[in-house]
Amino acid sequence: MTVQPDHTAPNSGPVPAIPHTTNAIGDALDGADRALFYSRVLAADETSVPAVMRRWWKTAMLNRAPHAETSRTNAARGQHLVSVDDLAACIEEADAP
C-alpha cells in the first residue's frame, strides 16, 4: 500500500515532547483515553509499566500534533495520507534528548 504525504498542512515544526511521567502523560490525554491510560498503568505489573507508558505517550504525542483532527478526518476519507514511517520519525524527533 502506498500513501502520499500531506502537503496541504503547514509544517509548524516539532511538537514539544511530553515528559515520560505518569502525570504528564495522563494530563496530555483527554476523557476516555485518560481513564483508560490510568486503568492500564494501575493494572500493569512492574515489568510492563514502561511499555504501557510508552504506548500511551505516543498516543498523547499524536493527539498533540498540529492538525491531528484534520489528519484523522483525512485518513478516514483516504485523502492526504502520511506514511507511518514519516509519522514515527516525527514522534522520535520529539523524544530525542
Side-chain angles (χ1 to χ4, degrees):
M1 177 170 130
T2 37
V3 294
Q4 281 139 37
D6 183 356
H7 295 293
T8 62
N11 184 358
S12 57
V15 175
I18 297 165
H20 289 266
T21 66
T22 305
N23 285 337
I25 295 167
D27 289 346
L29 296 166
D30 61 359
D33 279 348
R34 180 179 294 136
L36 190 55
F37 164 69
Y38 283 119
S39 71
R40 297 276 166 85
V41 167
L42 292 171
D45 65 33
E46 66 181 281
T47 61
S48 60
V49 168
V52 171
M53 289 183 62
R54 273 192 305 277
R55 184 257 188 243
W56 284 98
W57 178 87
K58 291 175 185 177
T59 298
M61 285 296 296
L62 289 171
N63 290 347
R64 179 181 273 197
H67 313 291
E69 195 55 44
T70 301
S71 293
R72 285 186 189 93
T73 302
N74 287 340
R77 293 180 182 159
Q79 301 172 333
H80 308 293
L81 301 176
V82 177
S83 75
V84 171
D85 292 336
D86 289 346
L87 188 56
C90 290
I91 293 170
E92 289 169 7
E93 285 175 19
D95 193 32

